[in-house]
């Protein structure tokens, strides 16, 4: 694990007509770094997402995690009980793709005002955020995107508009998708549809599947945590950002 010294804070970004909270972690000291946008699960910008944001900062990036539920539930964060999942899903269905993309773009725009930020922008998302990361890959400024077990990419839209899969031809960066083969939320057929769409659109991509790993396998605070799959995926994410952010 990197031992790079970092600082953290929560700031407010103007996004449309709201003030959007964004958790920021960045390396200490002088110099500039690439920005990486971190997209939450249905559980909000909770301890796990803050930890991931800090881990990315320790790798030498300015990492920013916008509160994607702020329009529905300001300050929301929760754990992983069945009741927590129900509440998180309730807020998820209230989101809209246009607002999610606007919030991510506002976070990118803010990052680019920081003297510590220069160069290309990366993105990583988990669960709900994995689906949103697929959407974020259509933004021109996202050059390297890691999407973890994003359910609903093939058949669910956030609000009016096309499902994420239909937006695939708009992706211009490099996209890596991570799935567990034991994930009941994402059937093998859906992974196959995603692979086919990416190939047909000539998107620079890779799809990684992990035998025995279920939904949420990267999160060490969930019962579905799969340490071997999580460790391998983390190395692949670091390689993606190192190679594609320049």
């Amino acid at each position: 694990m990197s031992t790079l010294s970092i600082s953290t804070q929560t700031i407010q970004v103007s996004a449309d007509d709201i003030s959007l909270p964004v958790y920021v972690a960045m390396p200490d000291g002088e110099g500039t770094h690439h920005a990486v946008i971190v997209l939450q699960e249905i559980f909000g910008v909770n301890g796990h997402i803050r930890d991931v944001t800090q881990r990315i900062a320790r790798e030498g990036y300015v990492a920013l995690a916008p509160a994607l539920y702020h329009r529905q539930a300001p300050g929301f964060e929760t754990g992983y009980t069945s009741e927590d999942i129900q509440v998180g899903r309730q807020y998820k269905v209230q989101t809209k793709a246009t607002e999610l993309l606007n919030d991510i773009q506002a976070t990118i725009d803010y990052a680019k005002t920081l003297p510590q930020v220069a160069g290309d922008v990366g993105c990583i998302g988990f669960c709900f955020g994995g689906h949103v990361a697929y959407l974020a890959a259509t933004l021109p400024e996202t050059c390297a995107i890691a999407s973890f077990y994003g359910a609903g990419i093939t058949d669910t839209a956030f609000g009016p508009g096309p499902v994420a899969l239909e937006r695939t031809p708009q992706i211009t960066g490099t996209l890596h998708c991570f799935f567990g083969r034991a994930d009941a939320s994402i059937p093998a057929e859906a992974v196959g549809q995603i692979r086919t769409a990416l190939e047909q659109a000539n998107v620079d991509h890779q799809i990684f599947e992990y035998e025995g790993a279920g939904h949420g396998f990267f999160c060490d605070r969930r019962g579905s945590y799969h340490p071997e799959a999580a460790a391998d995926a983390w190395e692949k994410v670091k390689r993606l950002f190192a190679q594609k952010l320049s």
Side-chain angles (χ1 to χ4, degrees):
M1 177 181 291
S2 174
T3 58
L4 195 63
S5 174
I6 64 170
S7 298
T8 65
Q9 62 177 320
T10 297
I11 55 89
Q12 302 291 322
V13 168
S14 177
D16 293 337
D17 57 347
I18 68 165
S19 182
L20 174 71
V22 178
Y23 180 75
V24 181
M26 67 174 67
D28 293 329
E30 299 180 355
T32 59
H33 312 274
H34 300 291
V36 173
I37 312 301
V38 182
L39 302 173
Q40 66 183 60
E41 299 175 295
I42 60 171
F43 310 103
V45 182
N46 63 2
H48 171 60
I49 295 301
R50 291 192 294 271
D51 176 65
V52 171
T53 306
Q54 293 170 24
R55 288 175 67 183
I56 291 171
R58 290 192 181 95
E59 295 297 329
Y61 303 94
V62 174
L64 307 97
L68 298 180
Y69 281 177
H70 188 64
R71 298 167 187 271
Q72 293 75 28
F76 175 77
E77 66 172 276
T78 192
Y80 305 97
T81 68
S82 58
E83 292 80 7
D84 295 332
I85 292 172
Q86 285 186 330
V87 173
R89 286 176 173 169
Q90 172 189 331
Y91 293 137
K92 178 183 74 171
V93 300
Q94 296 174 20
T95 62
K96 298 178 181 178
T98 52
E99 293 176 344
L100 293 166
L101 288 169
N102 285 345
D103 291 350
I104 296 167
Q105 186 63 58
T107 304
I108 293 172
D109 292 343
Y110 166 77
K112 291 195 168 186
T113 69
L114 298 174
Q116 298 92 341
V117 172
D120 299 326
V121 177
C123 182
I124 185 171
F126 305 88
C127 180
F128 163 68
H131 186 155
V132 178
Y134 201 99
L135 291 174
T138 67
L139 296 173
E141 289 157 300
T142 55
C143 297
I145 305 95
S147 169
F148 278 75
Y149 33 84
I153 289 172
T154 62
D155 58 11
T156 303
F158 297 127
V163 299
L165 193 71
E166 295 176 16
R167 301 173 186 253
T168 303
Q170 301 173 34
I171 298 173
T172 57
T174 299
L175 173 65
H176 285 186
C177 296
F178 299 84
F179 299 105
R181 285 185 171 155
D183 189 338
S185 302
I186 307 174
E189 293 80 7
V191 177
Q193 287 178 286
I194 293 169
R195 179 181 287 107
T196 297
L198 291 168
E199 290 173 349
Q200 290 178 345
N202 293 315
V203 173
D204 183 9
H205 74 281
Q206 290 192 60
I207 292 179
F208 303 100
E209 298 180 78
Y210 295 95
E211 200 68 46
H215 197 73
F217 70 78
F218 192 81
C219 179
D220 58 6
R221 306 185 187 199
R222 300 179 69 170
S224 56
Y225 177 56
H226 193 295
E228 293 81 13
D232 183 80
W234 180 241
E235 292 303 315
K236 287 179 168 56
V237 168
K238 291 194 294 184
R239 190 176 308 122
L240 168 67
F241 290 160
Q243 292 177 347
K244 297 299 181 178
L245 298 181
S246 59

